[in-house]
Amino acid sequence: MTNEVQELFQAKPFYCSIMFDGSTDKTLAEKEVISIKLLQNGKPTIKVLGICEPESGEADDIKEAIDRKCLDMKLDLSSSCVAVAADGASVNFGAKGGVLKKLQNEMPWIKMIHCLAHRLELALSDAFKETYYKDTVDDLMMHLYYMYRRSAKKWKELERLSESMNENIVKPSRSQGTRWIDHRRKALKALERDYTCLVCQFEDMASGQRKDIKPADQAKMNGYLKIFKSHKFILHVAAYQDLVEDLASLSLCLQQDDLAVSNVRTRIEAVCLSLKAKQTQYGRQLRNVISQTTEENQHTFRGVTLSSGANTMTDFAKHHTKLILNIIECIESRFATFIQDNILMAADIFDPANLPTEQGDLATYGNHDVDSLIDHFEHILSSQCDANAVHGEWMMLKLDLSKHHKTMTYAAIWEKMFTEKQNLYPNILQLVQIVLVLPVSTSQVERQFSCIKRILGDWRLNLKLSTMEHLLRICSDGPKPVDFDPLPAVMRWNSSSVCSRRPDTS
């Protein structure tokens, strides 16, 4: 598999981008996982480039480790790399001494991309800072997670209680300290489903009639009950679910390996519009809660009487509108450098859905963007691309797409072009290849770290780095067992050994 990846590097022309992330494993050794995005049979594909161990977590050592791994894999970044993606850690994005800045100093044309899924997580954290959602709802969910994680007895009690009440419960999950927004959605869903059982259990533990509950724990349960039985809390949990629903869907979209750069802007704009609509038209969860809890004399939710102030709904509506505006502002601020980047915006011209229908508009469509891409990537295009022929090919390609391929999907069109028509458009397709390998997020690298944690268990702490790398490559990029063809591996084993092999000797 390593050889197959290296063979992809020999394609002419060849362009790629790299994504990396670092962390300490169970042996407390600093490790960097590096992935590469490239074109394989006309499809953008992410492959494991390798694992390396920098001397420290400093930018110079990380860059040196990346360079060393690229050299080991016979990958020349200076002639092929168009972009580098990482999370927003200062060691990566330091304005003067960050890893990406050091790489850009050597290769001025590369695009530095801050993982969009991480940006969205940071935008939500910025918006929720010093709000009821962060200080109360998130805090309570984390307390519930740790309480049932550390006490099997309390969890068993809750399970038995749910059975007697004919309720289906979900074990509280971790909502904070995780990578993606979808964790919050799952935690909120569990909280909403377990609500009635949790209230009953806390009332029992706070009653003072149980000798196994300490006074300190009784006081804690009373505090939880006060929050749970608050009309304000119920409204905020419902609104939280509606807000996170849109944002979690966007986060999952940004984590897709095959997401095109040209689709990102539309996805973000759609979520912002959906959030704006919730200022005047509440989401489904919040509408349901309001219809269930609003009564003339008192507020109840699932049979639980709620405490409510005179201005609870008015204050909630005011803060809800303000929060939505704050979320939109934080998203626009965090994504500004990506959405407004001229080179990334130029990628939109290669989405056939954007082609104009009028012939007059089609003649000039994308010409300026093509010039911008040629100028920006001139250094790595110069040896392989005839810049003078690009515009002529671009005109033919636009007509070809408009007449014959406009109904095809984005991925299918370019797969067909690279596998069947590359000889017709050898120069303009180099710009398309550069756009296709631009990374959107580093979620694949995050998944690879999760895979390493499974590989490097407590009983396998002495695995060599090369063995870990091979296992990671098999887990991430390997075929399914039913599709595995062992013959190439057997032939390589037979031919590449230092000592002669004698498999036919009886």
Side-chain angles (χ1 to χ4, degrees):
M1 290 180 65
T2 304
N3 290 347
E4 289 173 356
V5 173
Q6 290 176 321
E7 287 174 6
L8 295 174
F9 302 162
Q10 308 308 314
K12 298 295 180 183
F14 174 73
Y15 303 107
C16 68
S17 59
I18 62 170
M19 298 152 283
F20 66 92
D21 193 12
S23 181
T24 55
D25 60 18
K26 290 185 178 180
T27 64
L28 301 181
E30 179 76 20
K31 285 184 172 57
E32 293 287 329
V33 174
I34 311 169
S35 290
I36 182 169
K37 188 173 184 180
L38 44 76
L39 220 60
Q40 184 178 21
N41 299 323
K43 293 182 179 180
T45 307
I46 297 178
K47 299 281 188 181
V48 175
L49 186 65
I51 308 173
C52 54
E53 287 187 343
E55 293 294 326
S56 70
E58 300 294 328
D60 287 328
D61 291 329
I62 293 174
K63 180 186 176 299
E64 182 184 354
I66 293 172
D67 291 339
R68 187 168 61 249
K69 176 52 64 176
C70 291
L71 183 63
D72 291 342
M73 291 292 291
K74 302 175 184 177
L75 173 64
D76 183 11
L77 292 181
S78 63
S79 63
S80 60
C81 186
V82 299
V84 182
D87 62 21
S90 58
V91 69
N92 296 328
F93 276 89
K96 295 182 179 179
V99 177
L100 274 71
K101 187 62 178 178
K102 291 179 180 294
L103 289 168
Q104 194 178 55
N105 290 338
E106 297 179 0
M107 300 172 285
W109 62 88
I110 65 168
K111 302 302 297 180
M112 300 191 302
I113 297 179
H114 178 186
C115 170
L116 299 189
H118 281 96
R119 289 197 205 197
L120 186 62
E121 190 80 27
L122 292 170
L124 190 62
S125 296
D126 292 342
F128 280 176
K129 196 175 295 181
E130 297 180 359
T131 65
Y132 187 85
Y133 296 93
K134 171 68 177 175
D135 298 339
T136 302
V137 182
D138 282 343
D139 188 57
L140 178 60
M141 286 194 296
M142 285 303 294
H143 280 303
L144 293 176
Y145 165 72
Y146 283 118
M147 182 173 76
Y148 291 110
R149 184 188 180 193
R150 293 168 179 169
S151 176
K153 178 182 176 181
K154 288 186 176 67
W155 173 241
K156 285 295 181 183
E157 285 181 0
L158 188 62
E159 283 187 315
R160 288 194 294 270
L161 181 61
S162 68
E163 291 174 2
S164 65
M165 298 175 66
N166 293 321
E167 295 275 354
N168 294 320
I169 62 169
V170 178
K171 195 167 187 176
S173 60
R174 188 183 183 94
S175 62
Q176 299 295 302
T178 49
R179 295 189 182 101
W180 313 124
I181 294 175
D182 195 50
H183 289 83
R184 299 194 193 198
R185 175 164 60 178
K186 293 176 181 177
L188 286 163
K189 187 175 181 180
L191 177 63
E192 186 263 340
R193 177 177 289 188
D194 300 346
Y195 177 79
T196 306
C197 295
L198 288 170
V199 170
C200 289
Q201 185 183 29
F202 291 166
E203 285 178 337
D204 178 51
M205 290 191 289
S207 63
Q209 298 178 3
R210 291 180 51 174
K211 296 181 180 180
D212 59 325
I213 303 298
K214 298 179 181 177
D217 289 336
Q218 292 179 19
K220 188 184 294 184
M221 295 305 121
N222 272 314
Y224 291 156
L225 277 173
K226 185 176 180 181
I227 297 173
F228 266 112
K229 292 184 174 183
S230 165
H231 189 204
K232 179 180 179 180
F233 176 77
I234 299 299
L235 291 172
H236 278 79
V237 169
Y240 203 164
Q241 285 182 281
D242 289 329
L243 295 173
V244 169
E245 190 69 31
D246 292 325
L247 295 168
S249 298
L250 175 59
S251 178
L252 291 174
C253 174
L254 295 176
Q255 294 170 45
Q256 296 174 4
D257 295 338
D258 58 351
L259 179 64
V261 172
S262 59
N263 291 335
V264 172
R265 195 175 296 104
T266 304
R267 302 275 186 172
I268 296 171
E269 289 175 357
V271 166
C272 289
L273 287 175
S274 178
L275 291 172
K276 286 180 181 178
K278 287 183 172 61
Q279 291 180 276
T280 55
Q281 184 178 1
Y282 290 152
R284 182 174 58 86
Q285 291 289 344
L286 186 53
R287 290 199 306 270
N288 290 341
V289 165
I290 291 175
S291 65
Q292 292 178 48
T293 59
T294 303
E295 298 180 5
E296 292 184 3
N297 300 321
Q298 64 180 10
H299 298 283
T300 60
F301 180 69
R302 295 186 180 177
V304 178
T305 302
L306 305 177
S307 61
S308 179
N311 300 319
T312 298
M313 280 299 301
T314 305
D315 292 341
F316 168 78
K318 181 173 66 175
H319 288 108
H320 183 64
T321 301
K322 182 179 178 181
L323 177 69
I324 290 176
L325 292 173
N326 198 20
I327 292 174
I328 295 171
E329 182 181 345
C330 290
I331 289 175
E332 291 174 346
S333 175
R334 286 285 182 179
F335 285 85
T337 55
F338 186 91
I339 292 175
Q340 299 170 8
D341 187 281
N342 291 333
I343 300 303
L344 299 177
M345 290 176 67
D348 289 359
I349 65 171
F350 296 127
D351 188 343
N354 296 330
L355 288 173
T357 55
E358 298 293 332
Q359 289 288 337
D361 296 332
L362 189 64
T364 57
Y365 173 74
N367 293 345
H368 176 71
D369 293 313
V370 167
D371 286 331
S372 298
L373 290 169
I374 292 173
D375 293 341
H376 186 82
F377 295 106
E378 180 181 8
H379 181 84
I380 55 176
L381 287 170
S382 58
S383 61
Q384 305 171 22
C385 180
D386 183 0
N388 296 323
V390 169
H391 279 284
E393 292 179 10
W394 173 231
M395 189 63 67
M396 292 190 296
L397 180 60
K398 285 187 290 186
L399 289 170
D400 192 356
L401 294 174
S402 179
K403 291 181 178 180
H404 306 125
H405 305 291
K406 198 166 184 181
T407 58
M408 295 176 65
T409 63
Y410 182 88
I413 285 175
W414 295 121
E415 182 182 357
K416 185 178 181 67
M417 289 293 172
F418 278 100
T419 54
E420 299 180 13
K421 298 187 177 183
Q422 191 162 13
N423 292 334
L424 294 176
Y425 315 110
N427 297 293
I428 186 63
L429 284 183
Q430 292 192 40
L431 297 181
V432 177
Q433 183 177 352
I434 287 173
V435 167
L436 290 178
V437 300
L438 289 173
V440 171
S441 76
T442 59
S443 55
Q444 174 73 340
V445 184
E446 300 284 0
R447 289 192 285 269
Q448 288 163 1
F449 262 117
S450 298
C451 184
I452 289 175
K453 288 181 180 179
R454 294 192 296 271
I455 293 170
L456 200 65
D458 292 336
W459 296 93
R460 306 179 75 187
L461 292 179
N462 292 326
L463 286 177
K464 291 182 179 179
L465 193 65
S466 59
T467 304
M468 289 177 55
E469 185 175 305
H470 291 325
L471 292 172
L472 176 62
R473 184 168 279 115
I474 292 169
C475 291
S476 297
D477 306 334
K480 296 179 180 178
V482 294
D483 299 329
F484 174 59
D485 178 13
L487 185 59
V490 173
M491 297 301 293
R492 184 179 184 275
W493 166 83
N494 189 43
S495 62
S496 63
S497 175
V498 176
C499 302
S500 61
R501 303 285 189 183
R502 297 188 294 276
D504 299 326
T505 302
S506 58

